[in-house]
C-alpha cells in the first residue's frame, strides 16, 4: 500500500465515522481501526486530527486539477475545475454534511478551514490558467472563494444525481464574478461596493464547509 493509498483509506474511514457517530468522535486512531490500518503508520502520517481535514482538502484539489480543462474561455475552465472539486466532495457527502454540522461547535476548525479554502482557490485558479500571485491574485482568490461558497450553499441542498442545482449555482456565481470584474475595470469604487450575489432568503442553509489543505495546521485541532 502506497502512502497515498493509506491516506485515502484512512480519510474515507474518518468521513464515514463522522457521518455515523459525529466528528467529535473522529480521530486518526479511530479511523485507522475502522479501516483495519496500522496504528503506528497512522500516528506517523496523521499526528493530529487536523491532518485528516488537510489531506482531505489535498485530495479534493488533486482530483479537481487532474484532467481539468486547459483550453477554452476562462469561465468554462473555472466552471469545470470547481465542479470537479464538488464531484470529489460528493463521494464523501454524508461525512462532509456531518462536518458542516460540527464546525459551529469547533471554532478552531472554522478558522482553519476558511484559510485553507482560500489557499485552495489559488490552486483552482492556477489550474485554470489564471495567475493567483501578487495583489491581483489575492483579489482573484477571494472572488473565486465567493463563487465556491455560493456553489456550496446549493450543494448542501442538492440531492440530484448529477448535481444540477450545484452546477446552476456555480454558473450563476461565475457570471456575477464576470460582471463585477468588468465593472471594476471601469469604476473600482462602485464595483467594490456591490454585493457579490443578490441575497436569496431561500438559500439560507447551514454554514458552508470550507475544506482544503494548508501548510500549518493549528495545534488545537489535535
Amino acid at each position: 500500500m502506497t502512502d497515498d493509498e493509506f491516506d485515502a483509506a484512512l480519510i474515507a474511514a474518518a468521513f464515514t465515522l463522522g457521518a455515523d457517530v459525529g466528528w467529535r468522535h473522529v480521530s486518526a486512531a479511530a479511523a485507522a481501526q475502522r479501516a483495519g490500518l496500522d496504528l503506528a503508520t497512522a500516528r506517523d502520517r496523521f499526528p493530529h486530527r487536523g491532518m485528516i481535514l488537510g489531506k482531505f482538502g489535498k485530495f479534493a484539489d488533486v482530483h479537481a486539477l487532474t484532467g481539468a480543462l486547459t483550453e477554452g474561455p476562462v469561465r468554462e475552465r473555472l466552471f469545470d475545475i470547481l465542479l470537479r472539486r464538488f464531484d470529489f466532495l460528493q463521494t464523501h457527502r454524508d461525512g462532509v454534511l456531518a462536518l458542516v454540522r460540527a464546525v459551529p461547535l469547533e471554532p478552531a476548525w472554522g478558522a482553519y478551514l476558511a484559510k485553507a479554502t482560500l489557499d485552495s482557490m489559488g490552486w483552482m485558479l492556477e489550474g485554470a490558467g489564471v495567475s493567483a500571485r501578487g495583489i491581483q491574485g489575492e483579489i482573484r482568490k477571494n472572488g473565486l472563494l465567493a463563487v465556491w461558497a455560493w456553489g456550496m450553499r446549493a450543494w448542501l441542498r442538492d440531492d440530484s444525481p448529477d448535481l444540477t442545482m450545484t452546477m446552476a449555482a456555480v454558473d450563476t456565481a461565475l457570471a456575477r464574478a464576470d460582471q463585477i470584474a468588468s465593472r471594476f475595470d471601469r469604476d473600482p469604487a462602485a464595483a467594490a461596493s456591490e454585493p457579490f450575489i443578490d441575497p436569496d432568503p431561500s438559500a439560507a442553509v447551514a454554514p458552508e464547509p470550507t475544506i482544503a489543505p494548508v501548510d500549518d495546521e493549528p495545534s488545537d485541532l489535535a
Side-chain angles (χ1 to χ4, degrees):
M1 179 180 288
T2 67
D3 287 345
D4 280 350
E5 289 171 342
F6 183 97
D7 293 351
L10 189 144
I11 288 167
F15 275 75
T16 299
L17 272 176
D20 290 347
V21 300
W23 276 89
R24 292 177 58 188
H25 303 287
V26 174
S27 68
Q33 291 169 336
R34 179 70 171 267
L37 300 171
D38 180 64
L39 280 177
T41 304
R43 172 64 181 87
D44 179 58
R45 297 193 59 74
F46 294 83
H48 57 78
R49 190 168 54 165
M51 291 292 293
I52 296 172
L53 303 184
K55 289 191 176 182
F56 179 84
K58 173 186 174 182
F59 281 127
D61 289 350
V62 169
H63 183 87
L65 293 166
T66 303
L69 290 179
T70 57
E71 298 180 351
V74 169
R75 179 172 162 185
E76 290 183 9
R77 282 179 268 153
L78 288 172
F79 179 85
D80 174 68
I81 207 166
L82 291 180
L83 262 295
R84 294 176 68 84
R85 199 166 192 275
F86 277 116
D87 285 341
F88 182 83
L89 265 60
Q90 187 72 4
T91 65
H92 300 279
R93 183 175 182 85
D94 290 343
V96 174
L97 294 178
L99 181 60
V100 172
R101 294 190 291 269
V103 165
L105 304 177
E106 300 279 356
W109 283 7
Y112 166 70
L113 294 172
K115 169 62 168 61
T117 302
L118 183 62
D119 291 345
S120 186
M121 292 302 103
W123 282 104
M124 300 301 99
L125 285 165
E126 295 286 354
V130 180
S131 174
R133 297 178 290 278
I135 295 176
Q136 287 295 324
E138 289 301 314
I139 294 172
R140 291 171 184 143
K141 282 160 59 175
N142 279 280
L144 193 60
L145 180 64
V147 173
W148 173 261
W150 192 252
M152 181 62 75
R153 290 169 70 90
W155 181 83
L156 290 170
R157 299 175 294 148
D158 192 348
D159 57 3
S160 63
D162 56 356
L163 297 183
T164 302
M165 185 186 301
T166 304
M167 288 192 290
V170 172
D171 187 58
T172 296
L174 285 171
R176 179 58 172 158
D178 272 349
Q179 292 174 2
I180 292 176
S182 62
R183 291 180 187 178
F184 191 87
D185 290 338
R186 297 194 302 270
D187 187 352
S193 67
E194 292 188 46
F196 180 74
I197 295 216
D198 295 332
D200 175 10
S202 67
V205 293
E208 299 88 353
T210 49
I211 300 169
V214 292
D215 294 332
D216 299 314
E217 296 85 358
S219 59
D220 52 356
L221 289 179

